[in-house]
Amino acid sequence: MKPSQGFSLNETSSQMKYEANLFTTEYLLDDDMFAHRLSEDTFFFSVVKELEVPPELLDFKF
């Protein structure tokens, strides 16, 4: 196995994970609801707790 083949596999895997996370975020979190919650001067982690989602998931909305 050539080193470049392993790198390509990891690169593809990372891209697939990114796209899966992006899809999950769009599926679970409505843009209007999310924007409304953050516009209320609420702390980021308060919104995470209220929506019961991992903080990393909200990172995809920014």
Side-chain angles (χ1 to χ4, degrees):
M1 180 200 252
K2 297 179 183 177
S4 62
Q5 287 177 330
F7 178 75
S8 177
L9 179 62
N10 289 335
E11 190 175 286
T12 302
S13 176
S14 294
Q15 181 64 28
M16 289 175 66
K17 286 179 185 177
Y18 174 80
E19 289 178 16
N21 287 333
L22 190 59
F23 172 81
T24 302
T25 301
E26 292 299 320
Y27 181 75
L28 292 177
L29 300 174
D30 179 56
D31 287 340
D32 293 332
M33 175 193 61
F34 179 71
H36 175 71
R37 294 263 167 53
L38 286 181
S39 69
E40 295 175 340
D41 254 356
T42 310
F43 289 111
F44 178 84
F45 288 104
S46 297
V47 174
V48 167
K49 185 176 181 181
E50 184 179 334
L51 296 176
E52 299 177 350
V53 295
E56 296 83 7
L57 202 61
L58 288 187
D59 282 339
F60 281 93
K61 281 293 193 182
F62 286 108

